[in-house]
């Protein structure tokens, strides 16, 4: 069994830097989790984006806070969800305010040969991800189609009212650390949200994720 990302990338997975291969090789077969800690700068768009970001905070989908040199942690744990799918957590915790950390929750599964990213505590948003390996052995993730699922309601989310995310992650030999750069943009309104940071990782044995990292609801619809 290969990891979710290795399966989606196919032969291109071997073009990743070895440290990136280990990081995105997290899965049940590898039986280990990846926990990263570092510092990040968080940005957002104009003032009118704040209400949307605040709504996203309620379900751990977006981060409305700003900050430079913000301590953060990302936890990637493999587990098998209630539907039997191998899943990897991508839970980011930001110490933007004393005693009130912000979280950005995502869980990723393999669906029809590509990575499907469920966002938030209740997996309301299902986002297709396009993956490619760049010239430095880093990984580029670009969001594509998005669907909203809640109870009997299910529809394709209009991109006019959403954002397209572009995330780049790579390993640098210069400082022996991972680097990440994310931007979320709307085709009409421009820049909405982004962060840029550096972190180091430790790998720990794991074939399940702590309950605090799992979504409160598992969504069957893709």
């Amino acid at each position: 069994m290969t990891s979710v990302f290795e399966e989606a990338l196919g032969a291109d997975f071997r073009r990743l830097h070895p440290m990136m291969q280990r990081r995105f090789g997290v899965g049940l077969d590898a039986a280990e989790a990846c926990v990263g800690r570092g510092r990040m700068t968080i940005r957002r768009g104009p003032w009118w984006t704040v209400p949307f970001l605040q709504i996203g905070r309620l379900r751990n989908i977006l981060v409305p806070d700003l900050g430079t040199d913000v301590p953060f942690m990302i936890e990637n744990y493999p587990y098998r969800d209630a539907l039997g799918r191998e899943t990897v957590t991508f839970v980011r915790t930001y110490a933007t305010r004393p005693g009130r950390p912000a979280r950005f929750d995502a869980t990723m599964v393999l669906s029809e040969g590509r990575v499907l990213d469920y966002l938030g505590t209740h997996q309301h948003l299902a986002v297709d991800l396009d993956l490619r390996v760049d010239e430095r052995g880093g990984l580029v993730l670009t969001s594509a189609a998005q669907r909203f699922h809640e109870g009997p309601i299910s529809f394709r989310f209009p991109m006019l009212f959403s954002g397209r995310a572009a995330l780049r992650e790579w390993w640098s030999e210069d400082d022996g650390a991972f680097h990440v750069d994310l931007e979320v943009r709307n085709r009409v309104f421009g820049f909405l949200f982004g962060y840029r940071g550096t972190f180091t990782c430790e790998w720990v044995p794991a074939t399940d994720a702590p309950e605090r990292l799992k979504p409160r609801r598992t969504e069957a619809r893709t």
Side-chain angles (χ1 to χ4, degrees):
M1 184 186 299
T2 55
S3 73
V4 168
F5 284 88
E6 186 173 358
E7 184 73 20
L9 280 168
D12 276 350
F13 187 81
R14 297 301 165 194
R15 294 179 50 228
L16 290 171
H17 187 283
M19 292 297 291
M20 291 290 292
Q21 289 185 36
R22 187 175 186 190
R23 171 153 162 66
F24 286 92
V26 165
L28 294 174
D29 191 49
E32 65 179 10
C34 178
V35 180
R37 293 179 175 85
R39 299 272 175 170
M40 184 170 286
T41 295
I42 304 172
R43 303 177 295 139
R44 67 171 180 239
W47 64 267
W48 47 261
T49 64
V50 175
F52 300 101
L53 298 176
Q54 291 288 0
I55 292 172
R57 181 202 285 275
L58 298 176
R59 293 297 173 89
N60 292 355
I61 295 177
L62 293 169
V63 178
D65 302 319
L66 296 171
T68 58
D69 202 31
V70 175
F72 83 99
M73 177 169 62
I74 180 167
E75 297 175 273
N76 303 119
Y77 277 81
Y79 72 98
R80 196 168 298 283
D81 71 11
L83 301 173
R85 302 174 298 188
E86 178 166 346
T87 307
V88 180
T89 67
F90 274 73
V91 175
R92 308 156 184 89
T93 304
Y94 309 93
T96 52
R97 302 183 186 184
R100 191 185 176 190
R103 269 181 52 160
F104 188 170
D105 290 13
T107 43
M108 301 194 185
V109 303
L110 194 68
S111 175
E112 299 181 352
R114 70 190 305 174
V115 175
L116 178 64
D117 187 5
Y118 286 108
L119 299 180
T121 56
H122 291 67
Q123 296 191 339
H124 285 313
L125 280 176
V127 181
D128 294 334
L129 295 182
D130 293 327
L131 310 179
R132 68 176 179 86
V133 179
D134 66 19
E135 66 282 351
R136 57 190 165 194
L139 186 61
V140 181
L141 297 85
T142 305
S143 65
Q146 303 176 17
R147 276 87 54 196
F148 179 86
H149 306 302
E150 168 61 25
I153 301 173
S154 181
F155 61 89
R156 184 164 177 152
F157 206 85
M159 294 307 295
L160 178 63
F161 302 107
S162 184
R164 190 175 299 276
L167 183 145
R168 297 175 181 271
E169 186 170 318
W170 68 97
W171 168 266
S172 173
E173 300 285 356
D174 294 336
D175 57 5
F178 293 95
H179 293 249
V180 62
D181 190 343
L182 169 77
E183 284 197 353
V184 180
R185 292 183 173 273
N186 178 276
R187 69 171 185 246
V188 175
F189 302 110
F191 176 76
L192 302 178
F193 169 77
Y195 58 70
R196 182 180 296 120
T198 304
F199 60 99
T200 57
C201 289
E202 62 176 330
W203 283 266
V204 295
T207 55
D208 196 8
E211 290 300 318
R212 62 182 175 81
L213 299 180
K214 293 180 182 179
R216 299 177 192 172
R217 179 177 71 95
T218 299
E219 178 57 64
R221 290 164 293 188
T222 60

